[in-house]
Amino acid sequence: MSSKTTTIQVRIDEDLKKKAVKVLGQMQITMSQAIKMFLAQVVRQDGIGIEFRTPSKRVRKAMDEADANIGMHEVSSVGELFEELER
């Protein structure tokens, strides 16, 4: 892969940009990262066919709880983890 970079300049509706930045921010992705991901997928798939979505409310809540260590505990081994999962 070449290490050369180039600049792409795109004109879009201001409201569309604001809304896109908000959604991408929820996924912790910058506009530049999103565009790079999109173009990489176009090349891989030889066309357009990607789908990115923000986590559902349920998944977001679980992620926030895990980040805050709510309802979490440690196990000392993989065996102990599987024992707990089988209960």
Side-chain angles (χ1 to χ4, degrees):
M1 180 180 275
S2 174
S3 63
K4 294 180 182 180
T5 62
T6 188
T7 301
I8 297 174
Q9 194 172 36
V10 179
R11 295 196 177 277
I12 60 170
D13 179 77
E14 184 177 356
D15 189 49
L16 174 62
K17 180 184 175 189
K18 287 179 184 178
K19 290 176 181 177
V21 167
K22 181 179 178 182
V23 172
L24 292 170
Q26 293 171 348
M27 297 189 296
Q28 299 180 355
I29 298 172
T30 66
M31 181 73 70
S32 183
Q33 290 168 324
I35 292 168
K36 289 175 188 176
M37 292 166 63
F38 171 75
L39 293 176
Q41 282 296 99
V42 167
V43 171
R44 279 188 201 102
Q45 296 183 3
D46 197 24
I48 298 173
I50 60 174
E51 184 177 333
F52 292 102
R53 295 182 182 210
T54 57
S56 68
K57 288 180 183 178
R58 189 178 116 246
V59 170
R60 172 55 61 194
K61 181 176 183 253
M63 291 168 62
D64 291 342
E65 289 175 357
D67 287 342
N69 284 328
I70 296 172
M72 306 294 283
H73 70 279
E74 291 185 25
V75 294
S76 59
S77 68
V78 173
E80 183 181 346
L81 172 64
F82 281 112
E83 285 177 18
E84 288 190 17
L85 291 173
E86 291 177 359
R87 290 184 207 162

